[in-house]
Amino acid sequence: MLTSEDEAVRRLAAGFALDEALDVMDPESWIGLDIGVRELAWQWPELFHSNASPSGRRLNWSRDASPPTVTWPRKPGDAELALALCHPDGRVREAALGHAEERPALLALVVIRCADWAGPVRDRARALLAEAPPHRLAAHAALILRVGGRSRGGFTQELLTGALRAGPAAQAEALLDSGDRATARLAYRVAVERRLLPIARLAQIAARHRDVVVQDLCAAAAVAALGEGTFEEFAEGVVPLLASRQPRVRSAGVTALRRAGRHADAEPYLTDRSAVVRACARWVLRQGGTDPVPLYRALCADPAGSRPAAAVGLGECGMREDADRIRALLAHPVPGVRVCSVAGLRALDAVRVDDVRPLLDDPSAAVVRQATAALLPWADCVPQELLRELLTEDRPRHQRVAAIRLLRAVGVHAQL
């Protein structure tokens, strides 16, 4: 069965144009072509080892000379040259590079040859690529970064990075929206280094981008730029960070509040759903001279439970005597408060089996999961009769799963 790489090789051998034989915009097509030529060389020796190509071009290849030489009586076409640049014999690849200088359509194969195992081929390809205009390097950024990951590929990546750092700003900005993840990451790193993006855009990208590496990069850059800007820039830079759905981005926004001297604005994030954000909020408040523990205690006294994470936050920074405040919330009507109460007791290392055990019968799956995690270290203290009752078919699945986990923790085999 022919693969797409095999088909591309056969089309080129039949004289098809490059863009008719393969997807020239896809870096994987070029890599596949390079591999496909070598693989088919063993299956189709008359194509690769005869002195005549199917397109009628002849390769004058003196095998008896020392060293052997490869020449073309006439200028080879792009299709024939593409096959020669991928040829299994390094002498053919090296000779083909001599015709590739004025062939921008074949620059992708020159990039691949920059990581060639044969030193003469590699050196010649690198010399050619070093003379390529920066915009052509940028056009092949995705392929260059793939080749850059190879054992001999560092040259191509350094060349591209240098071109983006020294070239026009528009050249780097054009790659920010690249569909290739590695390319977009490099473009953002260069854009941040060159300060090409205003603080408001950095914050928006950090808050909305799907790539966590780009999120972190832009969030850090936005925070770093705050000390140099006005209050308006501060608002543009911090508000999107604080509103992000990503915990790392929100934590960067909370940390930035200290730089602006707005320590008190961190108070709402004491009860953030993320432990990282809560920790940052506590740090900012302490830097402003406010102890977060009394704030947590006041929040835990709120019967409405509008900020359920107060219980786990108090457990993270409170004292042993705060355990009773948290236990009082184990029976709270809001499931989220019950979940955070168990988590708070775990953080405070104050779990008591008799207090948490009733929550195994809770209608909320989230509460039961948290209670199970809290009881696992003391599973042998939970009556097996109770756990077996939870295994009956009329019980919700989350309760049966909890019983199985606890029974298995004491060596009793059980299953749904």
Side-chain angles (χ1 to χ4, degrees):
M1 181 178 178
L2 286 177
T3 65
S4 58
E5 291 83 3
D6 294 342
E7 183 62 28
V9 174
R10 293 176 183 271
R11 283 176 172 270
L12 290 174
F16 281 78
L18 285 172
D19 57 357
E20 295 176 345
L22 70 157
D23 183 358
V24 295
M25 302 303 294
D26 182 8
E28 297 299 334
S29 294
W30 292 106
I31 294 172
L33 174 66
D34 184 46
I35 296 172
V37 169
R38 288 197 300 275
E39 290 180 346
L40 279 184
W42 302 102
Q43 305 173 29
W44 202 3
E46 64 274 13
L47 170 62
F48 298 102
H49 296 290
S50 68
N51 283 338
S53 72
S55 61
R57 304 284 189 184
R58 294 186 61 85
L59 283 71
N60 285 350
W61 185 359
S62 176
R63 293 178 182 270
D64 299 328
S66 181
T69 58
V70 181
T71 60
W72 277 265
R74 294 181 296 175
K75 187 175 182 179
D78 284 352
E80 181 184 358
L81 198 55
L83 295 175
L85 285 167
C86 304
H87 199 281
D89 193 298
R91 291 163 293 190
V92 176
R93 297 197 301 276
E94 183 182 4
L97 285 168
H99 295 270
E101 184 174 0
E102 300 299 329
R103 306 288 182 94
L106 296 174
L107 187 63
L109 292 176
V110 175
V111 170
I112 293 175
R113 294 282 68 83
C114 285
D116 200 284
W117 68 269
V121 177
R122 189 168 62 248
D123 293 343
R124 191 163 190 176
R126 290 178 177 182
L128 283 177
L129 193 65
E131 297 297 325
H135 71 275
R136 289 182 183 169
L137 294 177
H140 291 286
L143 176 62
I144 287 173
L145 293 175
R146 280 169 173 75
V147 173
R150 298 180 178 180
S151 60
R152 305 177 186 89
F155 173 86
T156 60
Q157 187 164 335
E158 292 174 5
L159 195 64
L160 173 63
T161 304
L164 294 178
R165 285 173 174 161
Q171 191 168 268
E173 291 176 348
L175 297 179
L176 294 177
D177 296 324
S178 172
D180 180 72
R181 183 172 60 182
T183 301
R185 287 178 176 179
L186 175 61
Y188 274 107
R189 281 196 294 271
V190 171
V192 167
E193 289 175 9
R194 297 181 61 178
R195 301 188 178 188
L196 301 179
L197 304 175
I199 187 172
R201 188 176 177 193
L202 285 170
Q204 292 292 342
I205 293 169
R208 300 175 181 176
H209 206 280
R210 292 178 294 179
D211 188 341
V212 295
V213 173
V214 174
Q215 291 171 8
D216 291 346
L217 183 68
C218 291
V223 172
L226 291 176
E228 306 170 5
T230 63
F231 177 79
E232 289 73 17
E233 288 179 326
F234 172 82
E236 291 176 346
V238 174
V239 172
L241 299 181
L242 294 173
S244 173
R245 299 176 62 183
Q246 304 300 324
R248 287 187 305 277
V249 178
R250 289 201 306 280
S251 65
V254 172
T255 303
L257 293 172
R258 174 185 176 273
R259 175 171 293 191
R262 302 172 67 90
H263 302 81
D265 289 348
E267 192 272 335
Y269 298 92
L270 287 174
T271 53
D272 193 273
R273 60 183 179 273
S274 166
V276 173
V277 178
R278 292 194 299 270
C280 288
R282 291 194 292 269
W283 177 79
V284 170
L285 286 170
R286 289 189 181 108
Q287 293 296 305
T290 301
D291 184 359
V293 175
L295 297 177
Y296 275 125
R297 290 169 179 165
L299 289 169
C300 287
D302 177 12
S306 58
R307 297 170 69 176
V312 66
L314 181 58
E316 290 167 343
C317 68
M319 294 173 282
R320 296 286 296 183
E321 53 265 30
D322 291 313
D324 289 338
R325 287 187 176 86
I326 300 175
R327 289 193 188 97
L329 299 175
L330 290 174
H332 197 280
V334 177
V337 176
R338 299 198 296 275
V339 171
C340 292
S341 299
V342 179
L345 291 174
R346 292 178 65 195
L348 204 56
D349 194 19
V351 173
R352 295 196 309 211
V353 174
D354 291 342
D355 294 328
V356 178
R357 185 179 59 194
L359 295 179
L360 294 174
D361 198 25
D362 199 280
S364 167
V367 174
V368 173
R369 282 195 298 270
Q370 189 64 242
T372 304
L375 291 173
L376 279 174
W378 295 276
D380 56 341
C381 298
V382 181
Q384 291 191 17
E385 296 78 10
L386 171 64
L387 297 179
R388 294 189 184 281
E389 289 179 9
L390 295 176
L391 286 174
T392 58
E393 293 184 359
D394 60 334
R395 291 285 187 169
R397 178 179 175 83
H398 63 268
Q399 295 180 7
R400 286 182 283 150
V401 170
I404 290 172
R405 291 183 63 192
L406 290 168
L407 286 170
R408 289 180 177 175
V410 295
V412 177
H413 180 72
Q415 58 185 13
L416 290 177

